[in-house]
């Protein structure tokens, strides 16, 4: 609980944009850039989704966001939540399921808890219930790296 409380207090880092230029395009490495506006294409109440989102299910993507660890006391983990803004945590209402991605890594990694990141992996449209909210997506993460704004 201490780590999550520390994450939610203090200075907020610069947020990642809700809409990214080039979202939905494929990079040279075959990775599709996904933004949070596109992820809102899932109606988490009915399960209906946009055609674009249907086409992304099972595809290799990269999504920007902030990491919320699923174990409060560790900075290393194999699983975490990815959210669109810093501080999405226990004492705040969580984002809706279409704004939470449950991420799993193949091996333990040191998490970047205070900085925005890009997460690259295979996206699945499926629910995952966590202590911090229900995720509408799962990503089998290959890696994550420091977020760099594509507009610069």
């Amino acid at each position: 609980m201490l780590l999550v409380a520390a994450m939610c207090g203090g200075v907020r880092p610069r947020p990642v944009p809700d809409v990214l230029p080039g979202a939905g395009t494929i990079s040279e490495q075959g990775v599709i850039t996904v933004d949070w506006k596109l992820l809102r294409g899932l109606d988490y109440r009915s399960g209906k989704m946009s055609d674009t989102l249907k086409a992304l299910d099972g595809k290799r993507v990269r999504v920007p966001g902030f990491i919320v660890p699923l174990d409060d006391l560790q900075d290393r983990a194999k699983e975490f939540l990815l959210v669109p803004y810093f501080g999405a945590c226990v004492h705040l209402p969580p984002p809706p399921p279409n704004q939470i991605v449950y991420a799993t890594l193949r091996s333990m990694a040191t998490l970047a808890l205070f900085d925005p990141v890009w997460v690259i992996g295979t996206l699945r449209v499926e629910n995952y219930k966590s202590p911090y909210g229900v995720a509408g997506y799962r990503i089998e993460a290959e890696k994550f790296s420091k977020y760099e704004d594509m507009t610069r």
Side-chain angles (χ1 to χ4, degrees), residues 37-117:
K37 180 180 179 187
L38 196 148
L39 293 177
R40 282 196 304 265
L42 171 66
D43 181 334
Y44 54 89
R45 290 184 179 96
S46 69
K48 293 181 181 180
M49 66 186 88
S50 68
D51 291 339
T52 304
L53 198 51
K54 282 180 192 174
L56 288 174
D57 193 17
K59 299 288 192 278
R60 196 163 172 248
V61 302
R62 76 177 190 155
V63 184
F66 290 89
I67 289 175
V68 176
L70 290 174
D71 186 339
D72 293 344
L73 300 176
Q74 291 187 351
D75 64 347
R76 291 181 54 80
K78 287 178 71 173
E79 60 181 4
F80 57 89
L81 299 178
L82 187 70
V83 295
Y85 57 87
F86 181 80
C89 63
V90 186
H91 65 270
L92 296 173
N98 63 6
Q99 297 291 279
I100 302 176
V101 178
Y102 169 62
T104 56
L105 294 161
R106 292 186 188 116
S107 59
M108 292 291 270
T110 300
L111 302 177
L113 299 178
F114 300 99
D115 299 315
V117 296

Side-chain angles (χ1 to χ4, degrees), residues 132-149:
Y132 302 110
V134 176
Y137 303 96
R138 179 171 61 94
I139 191 167
E140 299 162 6
E142 300 165 20
K143 66 179 182 173
F144 60 90
S145 60
K146 181 180 177 182
Y147 172 84
E148 293 183 19
D149 192 343

Side-chain angles (χ1 to χ4, degrees), residues 122-141:
T122 303
L123 182 72
R124 304 279 180 204
V125 181
E126 62 183 52
N127 287 340
Y128 174 79
K129 187 174 181 178
S130 82
Y132 302 110
V134 176
Y137 303 96
R138 179 171 61 94
I139 191 167
E140 299 162 6

